Amino acid sequence: MSAVEKRRPARSLALVDDDAWWRRAAIYQIYPRSFNDSDGDGIGDIGGIIERLDYLARLGVDAVWLSPVYESPQVDNGYDISDYRTIDPVYGTFDTFDQLVEAAKQRGIRIIMDLVVNHTSDQHEWFRESASSVDSARRDWYWWRPPRLGTVAGESGAEPTNWGSFFTGPTWSLEPVTGQYYLHLFAREQPDLNWERPAVRHAVYDMMRWWLDRGIDGFRMDVINLISKDPDLPDGIVPAGKRHGDGFPHYSNGPRLHEFLAEMRTEVFASRSGVPIAIGEMPGVTLETAQRATDPCRGELDMVFQFDHVETDHAPGNKWSRTAPDCAALIDSLCRWQEGLADVGWNSLYLGNHDQPRSLSRFGSPERYWYRSATALATMIHMMSGTPFVYQGDELGMVNAEFESLDALRDVESLNHYRALTDAGESPGNAWREVIGASRDHARTPMPWTDGESGGFSAGTPWIDPHPPAPGRSADHQIDDPGSVFSWYRKLIELRHVDPIVALGRFRRLTPSATSLLAFGRLLDDEMMLVVVNLSDESGTLEPNLLEEKVVYAMSLVMSNLPQPPCFPVGTIEPWEASIWRTPNT
Ligand code: ISL
């Protein structure tokens, strides 16, 4: 292989420079409830985010994705919205929200809202009206069905389909006023909107335009690949030993998904200056669907969140059945997406979010190699092709919490799952072990701004127990320490901004599959960046024939996470070593 390949002109540079600001960007996810509390009620809020904007500016991120702050009964911490055009009082008011947008803009940070439109809260006026009568003008805004033929409403098996919900139990609940069932793929308080109805879609587009007019820069769209369902709603296959059928093939990536996304693009995004970003969360998405959805020529989304790589440490389709971490599988999965979206589409790059246990606890080695494994994982993600996302606290090397009992958990998914297990006869001990292995609450403990019990998060009692980090690892210790995890993230983000190869270079894997030692190149014109990461507690060897010898030995070191930086990229690679190399700039 020639050392420095000519980059295929797959991407339009004009697009990169003007409209597609996000190709050069790093995006920070804030889970507002756990970020910073400004009013002492124990719950993070918008005022608290404003107080920490300088921290985000220091980190250097270009945009913030804000998990939902809309009015909500908070059954699923805001992913159950009762009014899309109101800020929940727990988080603030429109005044504080507008201040946030303005203060962020002054620091060059854009605000991206979470858009949860596969479902609403059951307290949303649309649903209340829909539920009130079979003749309601909004009846068909949601999915209503009578009991299954030959059954009586309320008896077991009367649900219109046999599907199991994401949050345990059936996806249908009986509504007593009309005696019919409504569909909810998540909690019973999260009824699914019926996107088959044009009025629903246009109400959503109208709301999205309204938000963009307020000065936000785009949306992260919750489970957007679930909005088109097979209207026949067929039963799913019941896996051995399970109570419910698998409805996923019938309610995900449905027949009208691409049509709806394209319509949304035209109705909401086209002709907007500043070009807002459209990021689709798509559990279970295939590479092929992601290519179609993010092909710029088709005009749907800018990027999707796929889940393959974060499913490498559990049984297929069952997050509760954890398997040993396998960094070789993690690497192979990420590389498959790098190669799969190399010519068409764009990757979003992440290891953690508010639904995943802490990535450092899953894939790193926080006991033995806390700093090195945190920085190695970050290096792999940030130097790949795509837009990197930093989940709050990952830049501080946060790890899973040490919850001791069920009372400490808050998440509806964890609590429902525990109840289902014990109802089915599982011992409390076994149920606890299963739940705690994968609980989303691990990622939802408060940000540790300072040392000490509540970590400077709140003057009151935090809504969920804090998990104080080891001494020296809170934000105030890390921000000015050039050898901290925070500073490493800051440098990675800076590198993306200053060196076009990070945003635009073509990805090329250089090491074979099935190993946790990864070397890859990023190629642009006649230049190359070389990234080496060893995701293992064992040292490894990188053979000099990785590239042409004269190239390997001419490369200069850009960053290394070792106290004694290496002279060459090849040879012995230390446990969790990460290094970035560059052909000399010409
Ligand atoms: O969290 C998961 C598994 O533990 C995922 O299956 C998750 O439910 C899925 O990725 C969809 O997540 C999104 O929609 C949910 C919400 O609870 C999540 O917080 C959100 O990210 C329903 O709105």
Side-chain angles (χ1 to χ4, degrees), residues 76-137:
D76 187 16
N77 289 355
Y79 284 89
D80 49 319
I81 297 170
S82 50
D83 186 346
Y84 290 105
R85 299 184 196 221
T86 307
I87 300 286
D88 195 292
V90 133
Y91 294 121
T93 60
F94 265 121
D95 272 353
T96 40
F97 183 82
D98 290 342
Q99 280 168 33
L100 170 66
V101 173
E102 190 48 41
K105 200 171 284 168
Q106 279 164 15
R107 291 163 177 81
I109 299 173
R110 301 169 193 253
I111 300 291
I112 298 165
M113 296 295 275
D114 218 309
L115 181 81
V116 189
V117 288
N118 171 69
H119 44 269
T120 65
S121 159
D122 62 350
Q123 300 306 308
H124 195 292
E125 63 166 359
W126 296 345
F127 185 73
R128 287 175 187 238
E129 204 183 314
S130 178
S132 64
S133 146
V134 285
D135 301 321
S136 153

Side-chain angles (χ1 to χ4, degrees), residues 473-488:
R473 294 183 184 173
S474 58
D476 63 350
H477 282 283
Q478 293 203 43
I479 40 180
D480 291 324
D481 173 2
S484 66
V485 174
F486 177 91
S487 294
W488 185 269

Side-chain angles (χ1 to χ4, degrees), residues 31 65 76 79-80 116 119 166-167 186 190 220 222-223 281 283 307 319-320 353-356 413 438 440 444:
Y31 196 64
W65 147 29
D76 187 16
Y79 284 89
D80 49 319
V116 189
H119 44 269
F166 278 89
F167 289 168
F186 293 89
Q190 294 169 297
R220 171 271 186 189
D222 195 63
V223 288
E281 190 212 25
F307 286 76
K319 68 174 258 178
W320 303 108
N353 63 33
H354 64 293
D355 294 333
Q356 306 282 331
E413 183 195 49
R440 306 193 296 184
R444 300 177 179 185

Side-chain angles (χ1 to χ4, degrees), residues 202 205 209 258-272 298-300:
H202 288 281
Y205 305 150
R209 286 188 294 260
H258 296 286
E259 175 198 333
F260 292 162
L261 293 176
E263 181 182 75
M264 180 196 278
R265 185 100 205 173
T266 310
E267 290 283 332
V268 178
F269 293 81
S271 79
R272 289 237 162 213
R298 293 173 52 89
E300 296 180 20

